Amino acid sequence: MVKAVGLFFICVAWAFGSESVYERHCVPCHKDMPVKIDKFFYRYLLKYSSETEVKRAMTHYLKNPTKETSILTDGLINRFGVKKKTMLSDVALSEALDTYWETYKVFNKLK
Amino acid sequence: MLVLKNWDTNLRSREKKTLWSFLFLYAFLVLISLFFVAFLYYDLQRELFLQHQKEALSNLTNEQINRLRTLHVNFDKERLYPRDERFNSAIYDSGLHEIFSTLRSQNVNLYDDIYIKEHKIYFIKELESYYLGARYIALEVPEPAHWDKKIYRTLFLYGGIIFALTVLIGYFLLKLLLRPMRDAISLLDRFIKDTTHELNTPVNTILSNIEMIDPKQLDPSLLKKINRITIASKTISNLYDDLTYLILSHRLSSHDETVDLKLLLEERLEYFSLLCESKKIRVGACLEANVVMSIDRKKITKLLDNILSNAVKYNNIGGTIDVELHDKLIRISDSGRGMDASKTKHAFERYVRFDRSVGGFGIGLSIVAAIAKEYGLSVDIESKRDEGTKVSISW
């Protein structure tokens, strides 16, 4: 019985441990939003084009979110408001944005 | 102008060489100028052509951008890059990284808005909204066949006309510049002709009268004076012969005969003996017998006289002259002042003289060259400054 409980806890810890920062800190909040997370990505892409510029704009917004720096339309901002400032460290934020970029980037996906 | 024709006043080889060198250089410079102008004209025409292409390509690019917009909106469902049979295209992000390309060329200059490369026209446009992250779009269309044919035809036609005209103008300009020189040569020839006419009678009179004097009846002092007169008269007579040959060479018909060269050389050495004695020149002769040549006697005599005359004229007091006759070779060497080896190739040119300390017109060796050319003789001059000159005639 003790062994079974121990094994359960180990599995749970492993399962949470294997999740990326992006999956743990970004996806859960966006999952419930009417505008999916990929749409945010493509709005950033539409405005900033390259990987460097997109990541820089996202980092800037997430660290200091304002109405002016948001890429959302006024209607959406009025409805959902501006998000709270991120609590993630620079390293964790960078890691999350890397995953985000790799997930939705256009490079190597066109046929 | 009749004088010019009759007196062979054509430009000498050096003047002709100068003429050709000038024309070549002039034509070369004209060609460079024409190529430069042609290049500018071609470049301008190409720019105009590209400007005309720009509008059509801009419309095609807008069509492609619309397709990219649709794809951007539906990217979660659709991943097929829009293609068009009229063109190839590529998209690049703001870091100039290629997002996707159907272009044949991998190297696209995104800083130029339109250009031609390897028979393709490339049109670059910056997007206002970066659909799929694309900041730049490049279109590639085939270059219309022979679009520049008309330009080349115009360039060759007008270029050819301008080139021909400028070369023609250059030719006449040069002739205008050379006219004073030609006039000077003509004047010199005319002067020689007039002088020659006046020389003939008095020289013959002097020589025939000297021959009538019996040297045995003269006291040594008078004989010495008569010899001097003889030498001077023969010098004038030689000059007269040279000038006559120069003037009338084109009218003289050759009477070839078999000439015994040993006898002829002995006769000519005897003729110059007094002249040699006057300069205390020692004459050595090594003449093989039975060496003959089929030639006009007067002309071979003139040829030998001119070489011997030079050997005496340019020799030092107490010098030597060696005359050799072998089968197919006559060699006359002197211990005179010689000339620089670099100048020997110009020695046969008319009026060319390298030593003006003695008299002469610079026509002797040009007569030698003319006679040698007529009979296919090879005349070779070896000379060293202050050591002497060796003239070899072979056939």
Side-chain angles (χ1 to χ4, degrees), chain B residues 59-164:
Chain B
N59 291 335
L60 289 177
T61 308
N62 289 337
E63 285 181 33
Q64 185 70 356
I65 290 171
N66 285 333
R67 292 184 192 122
L68 288 175
R69 182 169 53 211
T70 308
L71 183 62
H72 182 92
V73 173
N74 301 306
F75 196 66
D76 52 341
K77 293 170 239 153
E78 179 63 56
R79 296 286 169 91
L80 187 64
Y81 182 80
R83 288 165 171 82
D84 195 307
E85 60 182 13
R86 294 170 292 175
F87 57 84
N88 294 323
S89 67
I91 49 175
Y92 304 85
D93 70 8
S94 58
L96 307 183
H97 300 115
E98 182 185 291
I99 298 169
F100 192 80
S101 173
T102 61
L103 303 182
R104 289 192 176 183
S105 172
Q106 295 299 311
N107 301 317
V108 178
N109 179 11
L110 296 171
Y111 298 107
D112 210 347
D113 59 344
I114 188 166
Y115 65 94
I116 298 175
K117 183 184 169 189
E118 294 169 356
H119 304 297
K120 303 275 185 196
I121 299 174
Y122 292 88
F123 177 71
I124 318 298
K125 189 169 182 176
E126 191 173 346
L127 280 73
E128 288 173 8
S129 296
Y130 307 150
Y131 302 117
L132 301 173
R135 181 168 181 175
Y136 302 102
I137 180 167
L139 250 68
E140 178 192 75
V141 293
E143 179 188 6
H146 310 304
W147 68 270
D148 49 2
K149 200 175 172 182
K150 194 182 169 190
I151 299 172
Y152 279 122
R153 204 165 47 213
T154 309
L155 281 175
F156 278 112
L157 178 69
Y158 289 105
I161 291 170
I162 292 169
F163 179 71

Side-chain angles (χ1 to χ4, degrees), chain A residues 39-50:
Chain A
K39 298 296 177 192
F40 284 91
F41 182 86
Y42 295 120
R43 285 193 74 84
Y44 269 99
L45 204 56
L46 192 66
K47 191 173 180 184
Y48 296 103
S49 179
S50 69

Side-chain angles (χ1 to χ4, degrees), chain B residues 296-311:
Chain B
D296 185 301
R297 178 175 283 278
K298 281 182 184 170
K299 287 184 178 176
I300 187 68
T301 305
K302 184 106 296 287
L303 184 145
L304 293 171
D305 280 2
N306 271 311
I307 296 170
L308 284 169
S309 169
N310 281 347

